[in-house]
Amino acid sequence: MENKHITLGEFIIENQKHFKYSSGELSRLLNSIRLAAKVVNHEVGKAGLVDIIGTVGETNIQGEDQQKLDLFANDVFKTALINREIVCGITSEEEEDFITIQGKTNSHRNKYVVLIDPLDGSSNIDVNVSVGTIFSIYRRSTPMGMPVKKEDFLQKGNEQVAAGYIIYGTSTMLVYTTGHGVNGFTLNPAIGSFYLSHANMRFPENGNTFSINNGNYTHFPQGVKDYLKFCQAEEGKRPYTYRYVGSMVSDFHRNLINGGIYMYPTSSKNPEGKLRLLYECNPMAFLTEQAGGKASDGYIRIMDIKPSTLHERCPVFCGSSLMVEKAETCMKKYLLEETPTA
């Protein structure tokens, strides 16, 4: 069967054998995410035609202005997961605390918890720029039959069972991994099915694109400034190309296909970093490593970090392995000095 004729549903069923505890539950979970993605995609496509863009005049637990589509996407994914009774807990970037799900008949006996950023880069909606959804799936660590606890969500990234993202752009794609490579599926809007379009996606070992919010340059640590100077130096195949959309999913997706590095480091404005470890950094790190790339906080592997809070922030450098390693070299130069340059 040619790749272009394989649907996401067929691919999930065919690859169930790779799941360590295969019982069909993870397959149903991934299918629920697929369904929710189609609903969100339909609403994103209507932005500007209906009253769905702009803020709601409230902030989320992160202290960020909530967009109408943030709340819509959050509700859609929660509803899809809760109504199908296939998860025992959910936590979202838009929720203050985790949600425990008993189910009508299973009495807390489901295996998986889902962590989700329902709409990454949602402020881009108003100007018709690509946005995305990021999700991460773990097996619960507490015994089945009991309500989930915070510890079920505060697991290291290396314990992830699956992770992925949906990008809502010129075409809508769902890209995911279950620890056996990364595959991308493109939505055919005419019939509402995702088809395998990008099999076995891999980061090129090196690239020529760097993605960072350069407007924060003066606030970056000196190691980041040094790496940016390296990227812009006219030497060999440099200077590299600067590309930054402002949606992690969009920037990551481009670099995955073409090669490059995505960076959101610490700064004097955000000393802990800005992106969330559980909802953004860990799932993207899992995808990065499964695609042959590298994901770091500038010093250590992101997926080895033990989370302490649901909304913990973390710096991130991910993408083509040689580019990330060079950025780490620049960062570690100052780690070894007694008085790092600010």
Side-chain angles (χ1 to χ4, degrees):
M1 187 183 296
E2 294 183 16
N3 287 347
K4 65 181 179 180
H5 295 141
I6 300 176
T7 67
L8 174 57
E10 291 169 337
F11 186 88
I12 290 171
I13 292 172
E14 288 178 9
N15 287 273
Q16 275 191 128
K17 60 182 180 292
H18 294 309
F19 303 156
K20 187 176 180 181
Y21 305 97
S22 179
S23 63
E25 194 173 331
L26 182 58
S27 296
R28 295 196 302 275
L29 172 49
L30 290 169
N31 278 319
S32 292
I33 291 173
R34 174 189 63 173
L35 172 63
K38 290 194 286 186
V39 175
V40 172
N41 175 71
H42 179 69
E43 202 68 15
V44 167
K46 294 191 298 180
L49 297 176
V50 296
D51 185 24
I52 197 65
I53 61 176
T55 66
V56 294
E58 298 177 1
T59 58
N60 61 16
I61 185 62
Q62 322 292 334
E64 300 165 340
D65 291 336
Q66 285 185 312
Q67 304 289 321
K68 294 176 183 178
L69 268 171
D70 283 324
L71 298 181
F72 176 82
N74 191 52
D75 288 343
V76 167
F77 279 98
K78 279 185 2 185
T79 299
L81 294 168
I82 292 172
N83 287 353
R84 292 195 171 193
E85 298 188 29
I86 48 176
V87 294
C88 54
I90 303 170
T91 186
S92 163
E93 184 184 22
E94 300 301 325
E95 304 281 347
E96 183 173 356
D97 205 352
F98 65 87
I99 301 168
T100 182
I101 303 167
Q102 177 177 350
K104 297 176 182 177
T105 59
N106 60 25
S107 300
H108 304 290
R109 300 201 64 82
N110 286 328
K111 302 184 184 75
Y112 299 104
V113 296
V114 174
L115 302 88
I116 191 163
D117 180 355
L119 207 64
D120 170 69
S122 56
S123 60
N124 283 333
I125 281 288
D126 292 0
V127 291
N128 202 21
V129 175
S130 298
V131 294
T133 296
I134 306 173
F135 63 89
S136 177
I137 302 171
Y138 292 81
R139 280 181 62 89
R140 63 181 301 166
S141 58
T142 56
M144 288 191 298
M146 300 292 291
V148 291
K149 298 181 179 179
K150 190 171 290 187
E151 63 194 80
D152 290 303
F153 300 94
L154 299 181
Q155 300 185 58
K156 292 181 179 180
N158 56 30
E159 297 295 330
Q160 289 176 98
V161 173
Y165 62 83
I166 302 102
I167 181 168
Y168 311 102
T170 50
S171 62
T172 296
M173 283 188 65
L174 189 154
V175 178
Y176 85 103
T177 183
T178 56
H180 299 275
V182 176
N183 292 279
F185 300 80
T186 299
L187 178 65
N188 181 339
I191 56 179
S193 294
F194 283 94
Y195 286 90
L196 180 61
S197 55
H198 296 67
N200 192 29
M201 300 176 78
R202 304 284 295 178
F203 269 105
E205 187 179 39
N206 210 344
N208 63 359
T209 301
F210 64 103
S211 306
I212 190 171
N213 185 352
N214 221 24
N216 290 329
Y217 180 86
T218 58
H219 304 285
F220 290 147
Q222 189 61 45
V224 175
K225 292 178 180 178
D226 286 357
Y227 181 66
L228 293 179
K229 290 175 183 176
F230 170 82
C231 291
Q232 297 172 69
E234 195 168 347
E235 182 178 345
K237 295 184 178 180
R238 289 174 285 134
Y240 296 147
T241 301
Y242 171 62
R243 292 284 184 270
Y244 185 71
V245 173
S247 162
M248 185 185 193
V249 167
S250 302
D251 287 308
F252 180 95
H253 185 72
R254 180 193 53 247
N255 292 343
L256 172 57
I257 293 175
N258 296 329
I261 182 173
Y262 175 87
M263 299 171 280
Y264 213 117
T266 59
S267 67
S268 57
K269 294 196 301 183
N270 297 290
E272 303 300 323
K274 187 175 181 181
L275 301 185
R276 269 61 56 163
L277 175 60
L278 295 181
Y279 314 111
E280 294 161 317
C281 300
N282 269 339
M284 290 310 212
F286 190 20
L287 287 160
T288 299
E289 292 190 5
Q290 284 296 311
K294 187 169 184 177
S296 164
D297 71 350
Y299 306 100
I300 63 172
R301 182 187 184 216
I302 281 180
M303 292 206 296
D304 286 338
I305 298 172
K306 175 63 178 173
S308 57
T309 64
L310 290 177
H311 300 290
E312 181 174 338
R313 298 176 187 265
C314 178
V316 59
F317 299 77
C318 64
S320 296
S321 58
L322 292 181
M323 299 183 79
V324 175
E325 288 168 5
K326 177 62 179 177
E328 286 181 317
T329 298
C330 293
M331 295 290 289
K332 290 174 181 177
K333 173 184 176 183
Y334 295 94
L335 180 66
L336 299 175
E337 295 185 0
E338 291 185 2
T339 309
T341 303

